[in-house]
Amino acid sequence: MSLKAEKAKLFAKWGKANRKMALELEQPARGSFELDPLKFTKRVRVKTFDVNGFYGVTINGSYPKNAHILMLPGGAYTLEPTERTREIGEYLAVYEGFKVSIFQYPLSPEYSALNAHECLMKAYSSLRKEYPEDDFFLFGDFSGGGLALSFLQVLRDKGELPMPVKTAVVSPWLDIALENPKIKLFQKTDVILPLEALREAGRKYCGPLENDHPMVSPLYGDWNGLGPILIFSGTEEILTPDCELLAEKAGKLEGTEIIYKKGAGMFHDWIKVPSKETDGTFKLICSFFRDEDWE
C-alpha cells in the first residue's frame, strides 16, 4: 500500500470517520452545489441538464471521444456529491478523453429508490437522445455503484433502451440491509462505514420496497444479460462479503461477464483519496471501457 493510502486510512481511523458519517447520515446537509459549473476547471466544457428538477452536468475536455460515462456518485443514497466527485469527473474528461455526465439522482430521506430509478431512467434516455453517436458506459461508487447495478436490471427488463456497453463500480452497496453474517468480521477493520447508521439510511431509501427488492438490493436480482461488469472492493470494508457472493455467481451467468478485483489492504471507496492505488484503479477502469489489454 502506498504511503498516501496508508495515511488516509490512519486519518480515517484517528478522525473517527465512521462516527462522522453516522452524524452526516442522521442530518444530511443540502445545498452544497459541488457540481456548479463555476466550480469546474476551465479545462472542461460544462453543460447542465435537468430531470424532474434534479440536476446533472455533462463535461468534456478538448478532444472528446464518442465514449460517454454516466457517473452516479455515492453517499449512502443520502449525501450530496463532494468536491472529489467533481475531480473524478474532470480527470475522466481531461486525461482520459471521455464525455462524462454526472447525475445527482433523488436522495433519501426526502425521496426513495422509486424516485431515484424514475429520474435515472429519464436522464439516461435523454442523454442517449442528445448524444446518439456515443457509446455509453456506467460508473458508480458506493451507493452509486449499487444504483448502477440495480439500474442495469431495470433497463434490461424494460427493454426500451440500449444497454450500456460496459459497467464499472467501486465498493458497491449490493444488499441494502447488510445482512451477510461475514460483515461482522469486516466491521473490525472498516474505519469508514458505520454499519447501523447505514442500515437505517437503507431503510429510508427503500420506501415501499422490501429489503430484497432488486431495485434496492441488486444482489438478489437476475444477473443474466447485463453485459461486462468490473467490480472493485477493498479487503477492509463491510461491503466486500456481498461482492464476494456476487463473484461466486459469475461463472453461471449468461450474457453477463463479472470481473472482480479485490484491493488488498484497501479501505472503502478508496478512489475518494488521490493515491497510487486510485490512479491504478482508474487506469484499469478506462482500459476496461476501451477494450485495451488491461488485466
Side-chain angles (χ1 to χ4, degrees):
M1 182 182 293
S2 69
L3 182 60
K4 283 188 176 180
E6 189 67 44
K7 283 184 176 180
K9 185 162 62 173
L10 288 174
F11 287 154
K13 182 178 180 179
W14 294 338
K16 298 179 180 179
N18 53 358
R19 293 186 184 180
K20 181 180 178 182
M21 181 181 285
L23 291 174
E24 290 175 343
L25 292 175
E26 186 176 345
Q27 295 182 328
R30 295 290 182 258
S32 61
F33 301 114
E34 288 296 340
L35 300 182
D36 187 303
L38 295 178
K39 291 190 176 184
F40 281 87
T41 174
K42 293 181 179 179
R43 300 179 68 182
V44 298
R45 292 185 290 274
V46 184
K47 183 177 181 180
T48 64
F49 61 91
D50 182 278
V51 178
N52 291 3
F54 296 94
Y55 181 78
V57 295
T58 298
I59 64 174
N60 57 264
S62 300
Y63 303 100
K65 302 177 177 64
N66 289 334
H68 197 142
I69 296 174
L70 175 54
M71 180 175 164
L72 304 177
Y77 298 111
T78 305
L79 306 178
E80 293 184 343
T82 64
E83 177 184 6
R84 183 61 182 160
T85 302
R86 190 175 68 250
E87 291 173 349
I88 290 171
E90 290 171 343
Y91 167 81
L92 293 170
V94 173
Y95 295 102
E96 299 294 346
F98 290 92
K99 292 189 191 78
V100 182
S101 289
I102 309 172
F103 181 51
Q104 182 44 77
Y105 48 89
L107 296 174
S108 175
E110 296 94 329
Y111 302 95
S112 73
L114 294 176
N115 304 116
H117 277 277
E118 177 188 6
C119 286
L120 178 54
M121 184 64 73
K122 290 181 179 180
Y124 182 71
S125 176
S126 177
L127 288 168
R128 293 209 70 116
K129 290 178 182 177
E130 185 171 357
Y131 302 95
E133 303 300 320
D134 287 358
D135 292 325
F136 275 81
F137 303 87
L138 201 54
F139 168 67
D141 67 292
F142 188 17
S143 52
L147 178 58
L149 297 174
S150 290
F151 180 64
L152 282 180
Q153 297 177 29
V154 174
L155 196 60
R156 176 208 55 211
D157 292 345
K158 284 186 175 294
E160 298 172 356
L161 294 168
M163 298 287 286
V165 178
K166 293 182 177 180
T167 299
V169 294
V170 178
S171 299
W173 191 352
L174 297 175
D175 173 12
I176 201 72
L178 296 166
E179 292 181 337
N180 193 316
K182 291 185 179 180
I183 286 175
K184 290 183 179 180
L185 298 175
F186 284 76
Q187 192 177 7
K188 297 177 182 179
T189 58
D190 194 325
V191 297
I192 295 176
L193 294 179
L195 180 57
E196 292 306 319
L198 284 184
R199 285 173 171 161
E200 178 60 26
R203 283 191 285 270
K204 294 175 182 177
Y205 175 69
C206 284
L209 301 177
E210 297 294 329
N211 285 342
D212 59 354
H213 195 289
M215 290 178 74
V216 294
S217 296
L219 181 65
Y220 302 117
D222 177 3
W223 283 83
N224 293 299
L226 302 182
I229 301 172
L230 176 60
I231 299 174
F232 294 87
S233 76
T235 57
E236 298 192 3
E237 64 170 313
I238 60 175
L239 301 178
T240 286
D242 288 328
C243 291
E244 293 173 337
L245 274 181
L246 178 57
E248 292 174 3
K249 299 182 179 183
K252 304 174 184 178
L253 301 175
E254 296 182 1
T256 300
E257 178 188 11
I258 292 179
I259 304 164
Y260 177 41
K261 300 287 186 180
K262 194 186 300 185
M266 296 308 294
F267 45 89
H268 168 70
D269 210 1
W270 64 86
I271 61 169
K272 291 294 184 68
V273 179
S275 67
K276 177 181 177 182
E277 290 81 2
T278 290
D279 292 344
T281 299
F282 279 121
K283 289 296 182 184
L284 285 175
I285 290 172
C286 293
S287 295
F288 171 68
F289 283 165
R290 294 189 183 114
D291 283 324
E292 295 173 352
D293 185 11
W294 61 281
E295 291 192 90

